Amino acid sequence: MARQGRRDTAPELALRRELHRLGLRYRVDRALPGMPRRRADVVFTAARLAVFVDGCFWHACPDHATQPASNAAWWREKLATNVARDRDTDARLTAQGWEVLRFWEHADMRAAAGLVEDAWRRRRAGLSSSGSPSTRPAPGEPAT
């Protein structure tokens, strides 16, 4: 398991490419507030938006998950713990005012990037120092 890559998987890179193409800038593999040993794949800190790309095996995808035959009880507990930690992370971030988006590794990353962009725009529209919606143009929009 130590040799298993934690970041820069093909689905993560595909999502990041699409987000960058849309003009969005983000942080990668960022520690989460109040949870130093947990990290999000893509983070928009100002918008308080955390994005995860979950692997089908490690996060027990309902469509593609497999159960190893060797040491089955240990693996069942390990994977259930991963899923429980995901739900705990979601709840803790939501309680802190963050929005959490999760995508399976087999998802269409172009569509996922569109959902991330929509969430980013919604959250940015509600953020400004004056308390009114931001007047800063979104990526790809001309400044007025």
Side-chain angles (χ1 to χ4, degrees):
M1 283 189 290
R3 291 187 301 213
Q4 200 62 28
R6 274 188 10 160
R7 60 174 279 180
D8 298 335
T9 64
E12 285 178 40
L13 292 174
L15 176 65
R16 291 183 351 218
R17 260 192 310 277
E18 289 300 321
L19 293 172
H20 195 272
R21 186 182 62 76
L22 292 170
L24 300 177
R25 300 301 178 259
Y26 44 83
R27 304 281 181 208
V28 176
D29 192 40
R30 193 69 157 202
L32 299 171
M35 298 174 270
R37 295 194 60 192
R38 298 183 193 182
R39 307 179 78 76
D41 298 318
V42 175
V43 177
F44 298 89
T45 52
R48 298 174 71 113
L49 176 62
V51 181
F52 298 86
V53 179
D54 292 338
C56 290
F57 175 75
W58 293 105
H59 299 271
C61 170
D63 297 328
H64 302 109
T66 58
Q67 293 293 320
S70 285
N71 209 359
W74 184 87
W75 277 107
R76 195 170 27 261
E77 182 179 335
K78 167 68 177 155
L79 298 176
T81 300
N82 288 353
V83 173
R85 184 175 44 249
D86 291 344
R87 298 298 78 78
D88 179 61
T89 299
D90 295 350
R92 290 171 70 174
L93 284 172
T94 301
Q96 294 177 37
W98 285 70
E99 183 171 343
V100 178
L101 296 176
R102 287 187 179 271
F103 302 100
W104 291 111
E105 67 179 337
H106 60 267
D108 175 355
M109 290 304 153
R110 181 166 282 192
L115 294 172
V116 172
E117 181 186 27
D118 291 345
W120 180 84
R121 285 181 187 276
R122 256 193 342 270
R123 295 195 58 88
R124 290 296 296 174
L127 302 175
S128 78
S129 57
S130 66
S132 60
S134 174
T135 57
R136 183 175 168 197
E141 292 180 1
T144 55

